[in-house]
Amino acid sequence: MDDSSKATITTPSSISFSKVFLSTILCAIFLTNLLGNTCTCLVVFHSRSLRERPSSLLLSSLAVCDLFALLLPLLYLILLYDLQSACNVSRYFMPLVPALLFTNIVHICLLSVDRYIAILRPLRYNEIVTKKRVKRALLIAWFSPFASACIFPLAYSDEQDFSLSAGAIGCLNSSSKPPLSKMIHSALNVVVFGMIPILVTTFVYGRIAKVSWQQSNRTEPGTRLNPEQERRERKEMKWMKTIGKFA
């Protein structure tokens, strides 16, 4: 047996070790996500003061979205030990991946806007952010990504679409290109539910950082900072100044 044939041999111990290593990481992610988000939901549910705050609805809704995201490491665990079963359920799991991702991004955008209003419009916060408006925003945040990523594609989904999804996780060796309608639809989803919320979140936190930086440089009349305090203040607010330049 020559060197080239020896190089292709993979020992069972190396395969089992890689599976155990990946399984340990996925189980840790699964348990951490499950414990943390479940505790968040329970705390909001059992605390009356938190239930009365509109922002708590956003936090609990984001926690529920993260709990649904546990399906992703579960699918990968199935893929590690039973490829055929993973291929069978990929038809149902794969459309949920972009839907959950976009829903999570929109939730983070809503939370950033909530903090923006609370910091820059504190006197009008209770007037602007109400439970009714938050519930409407959450309805849009849940329904729109799932409808666009899961329901609308049913109109043009076929076996080729399934083969592309299966090929993405290694079930099939598919080299065909997706149809133009699917490519346009996916690009619109990325722009509407991905890029725009991320840009809004970046702008909002940039504005918050800029206002915080301006407030930190404002001193009361008759007060002076010693050189050590001035250096510490400049160091602490340097990142806010950098972010604030873009807002």
Side-chain angles (χ1 to χ4, degrees):
M1 186 179 294
D2 57 359
D3 295 338
S4 61
S5 60
K6 290 181 180 179
T8 60
I9 297 177
T10 304
T11 61
S13 60
S14 63
I15 298 176
S16 61
F17 175 77
S18 62
K19 285 186 177 181
V20 170
F21 179 73
L22 290 175
S23 300
T24 303
I25 295 177
L26 291 173
C27 289
I29 294 174
F30 186 93
L31 293 176
T32 304
N33 192 330
L34 179 64
L35 180 62
N37 291 292
T38 303
C39 290
T40 301
C41 295
L42 291 176
V43 168
V44 174
F45 179 76
H46 286 287
S47 176
R48 182 177 180 181
S49 60
L50 289 178
R51 290 200 307 269
E52 293 176 351
R53 297 179 182 177
S55 59
S56 297
L57 293 176
L58 294 173
L59 289 174
S60 57
S61 181
L62 179 60
V64 172
C65 181
D66 289 338
L67 287 174
F68 279 112
L70 291 176
L71 295 173
L72 304 181
L74 182 62
L75 174 63
Y76 199 82
L77 279 173
I78 298 174
L79 183 64
L80 282 177
Y81 294 97
D82 193 349
L83 179 61
Q84 185 60 41
S85 298
C87 293
N88 293 334
V89 300
S90 64
R91 180 191 294 269
Y92 310 101
F93 273 90
M94 293 306 292
L96 295 177
V97 175
L100 290 172
L101 176 62
F102 294 146
T103 304
N104 203 301
I105 293 174
V106 174
H107 274 76
I108 294 174
C109 180
L110 292 177
L111 282 171
S112 65
V113 173
D114 174 76
R115 290 299 86 202
Y116 176 83
I117 298 173
I119 294 174
L120 272 70
R121 300 289 186 271
L123 299 180
R124 297 189 58 201
Y125 176 79
N126 293 329
E127 178 185 351
I128 298 174
V129 182
T130 61
K131 278 190 174 182
K132 188 175 182 180
R133 290 177 177 175
V134 170
K135 289 179 181 179
R136 289 176 180 175
L138 288 177
L139 180 63
I140 296 174
W142 278 98
F143 178 75
S144 298
F146 272 88
S148 182
C150 298
I151 299 177
F152 292 162
L154 295 177
Y156 56 81
S157 61
D158 51 11
E159 289 301 323
Q160 182 184 5
D161 188 40
F162 169 69
S163 64
L164 291 172
S165 300
I169 61 174
C171 296
L172 297 174
N173 294 325
S174 176
S175 59
S176 60
K177 290 183 61 178
L180 181 61
S181 59
K182 182 176 177 59
M183 295 175 62
I184 296 175
H185 180 248
S186 300
L188 289 176
N189 283 339
V190 171
V191 172
V192 175
F193 301 113
M195 294 181 62
I196 293 178
I198 290 175
L199 290 175
V200 171
T201 303
T202 304
F203 172 78
V204 165
Y205 280 121
R207 288 288 299 168
I208 293 174
K210 185 175 182 178
V211 171
S212 301
W213 170 56
Q214 292 173 348
Q215 291 293 332
S216 69
N217 291 334
R218 184 180 302 172
T219 58
E220 296 295 331
T223 61
R224 287 181 60 86
L225 298 176
N226 58 50
E228 181 63 26
Q229 288 177 321
E230 290 181 354
R231 285 193 296 269
R232 186 169 63 252
E233 287 288 333
R234 286 196 300 267
K235 184 177 180 180
E236 291 176 352
M237 301 306 299
K238 185 177 180 180
W239 67 274
M240 290 187 178
K241 181 178 179 180
T242 303
I243 299 176
K245 289 180 178 179
F246 296 95

